[in-house]
Amino acid sequence: MNSFNDPLSIRNGHLYFEDCDVVELAKEFGTPLFVVSERKLVENYHNYHDAFTSRWPEGRVRVMGAIKANPVTAIRRVLTREGCGCDTFGMGELEVALRGGVPTEDIAVNGSIKGREIIRRAIELGIHVVLDSPRELDYCEQEAEKLGKKADIILRLKPYMKDLGDEPSDFFPNRTICDMTQTVKYGIPTSEMLPMVPKIKASQWVNLVGIHTHSGRHSKKAIFWQSLVRNLVVLIKQISDGMGDNWSPHIVSVGGGFAAEHDLESRVAVTDYHSPTVDDYAETVTTTFRDAMKENGLSVDGLLLEVEPGRALHNETGIHLAKVHVVKHETATIDRIWAETDTSEVFLGIGSLNVTPPFKYVVANKADQEATEKIDVVGITCNYECMMEQAPVPQIEPGDIFAFLNTGSYIEPYTCNFNALPRPGMVLVSGYKANWVKRPETLDDVFGRDMVPEHLAGIGPEVKK
Ligand SMILES: Cc1ncc(COP(=O)(O)O)c(C=O)c1O
């Protein structure tokens, strides 16, 4: 059986998540089910915050949890209660931030292709806008003028990491990090950013408060962060020169992209090396940033340093539960056992044939039993969906509960309604307590947006609900 991390434990043969018996959770709330640990989420936030705060005496540190990793209101409220800010992308995520009680000064409105509506809303609420193109500067100026209220803006930059040479990206090992971080759509192209500086300087409607960058999880190596931060400061220097008056940013965000040790990382090709600790990461980022700012004669006094973890904050906070409904055994042609479960690849963000288990897993009601056989754990849709091929398990029977571990980030938000399946709900465990934080969908939810034009009405017998 696989080893696993806190807040999981085995008690009386059952898997526990915090102080909740996972088998009882499956019984009470049904399966498939996403489950999140409040304690783990709180712990992750404070680890992150403390790692940076203790290394950044120059000013405050604000952890801006990326809402996209788990955009559920109650999950966000846990983080808000602890003092965590947030990075949002688009109107939907801004709404989660507001419903999640995040103070407006702790919200960043990020993302590409922002329209007037979101820019106006951000300015109205006093939220700083992270610009992704020159068009957004125009929108900010125009909307700020209409509102008679100055907009606080941050520029999202694209550091040119050419000192990394041919260092490959873990996403696509035949592409370099340097190339991928330039070819990606996000951020203001440097050639378009530099001419924005005099415009910003002259504007009476925008106030340049900070600088931002975010690169996806291209690498876990220290050299990646060193290069990102050093080359970010190269751009900050150019902006400072353009702004004059010894301009220095009040806020600098180095984005997210820090790996979670147990992440599934289904979109990352190279995963076979370890993540640094959060402390190592914080050390690399803060020392590189401090040194580079000093070398360039830029002040860091009172500078608010922001980090935007998504996967690193949420990944290990979640487990996903599925029940075995049918066990089939072929012996005539080959020797094969299938455990048919009620979850799916479309609820777990995995491919159809998983030769090595994409997750650590535990059979929750047989958590202390040794593996005695190898079976295929398959899903409920009409896809091929072999979620785990020849996975070692104790003897499996209908009713057994599989717990897939470390499913807290970027999994639930990607679920879809393939085969017209209602999507699973989410439960938050807090010690001995467990509460719904997102109810499971019903068939009415699945068909809730369907519309039947008049000429198709009355075809077939009326469907009784
Ligand atoms: C602007 C921004 N910040 C932070 C994140 C979080 O990244 P990660 O989950 O890799 O830490 C993302 C993810 O796409 C992002 O776009």
Side-chain angles (χ1 to χ4, degrees), residues 309-320:
R311 75 194 66 244
L313 200 56
H314 291 279
N315 186 55
E316 292 165 17
T317 67
I319 60 174
H320 180 83

Side-chain angles (χ1 to χ4, degrees), residues 33-36 67-72 75 320 346-349 407-416 423-426 438-439 441:
L33 183 71
F34 289 100
V35 188
V36 172
I67 274 199
K68 67 201 79 179
N70 190 347
V72 172
I75 300 298
H320 180 83
V346 303
F347 296 153
L348 286 165
T407 54
S409 63
Y410 299 112
I411 293 186
E412 190 278 336
Y414 275 113
T415 53
C416 75
R423 289 173 292 180
M426 186 182 286
K438 191 167 187 171
R439 67 163 172 80
E441 276 183 331

Side-chain angles (χ1 to χ4, degrees), residues 72-82 96 98-101:
V72 172
T73 310
I75 300 298
R76 190 44 249 186
R77 289 210 179 168
V78 171
L79 290 169
T80 303
R81 183 192 65 207
E82 300 303 310
V96 182
L98 296 171
R99 290 179 188 212

Side-chain angles (χ1 to χ4, degrees), residues 66 68-69 87 89 110 156 212 214 216-217 255-258 308-312 410:
K68 67 201 79 179
D87 152 63
F89 188 114
N110 225 312
R156 178 166 176 168
H212 173 277
H214 165 75
R217 225 258 328 108
F258 180 67
E308 298 174 349
R311 75 194 66 244
Y410 299 112

Side-chain angles (χ1 to χ4, degrees), residues 324-337:
V324 176
H325 284 251
V326 180
V327 176
K328 297 197 291 196
H329 194 171
E330 173 69 273
T331 52
T333 56
I334 54 166
D335 189 7
R336 200 80 164 183
I337 302 172

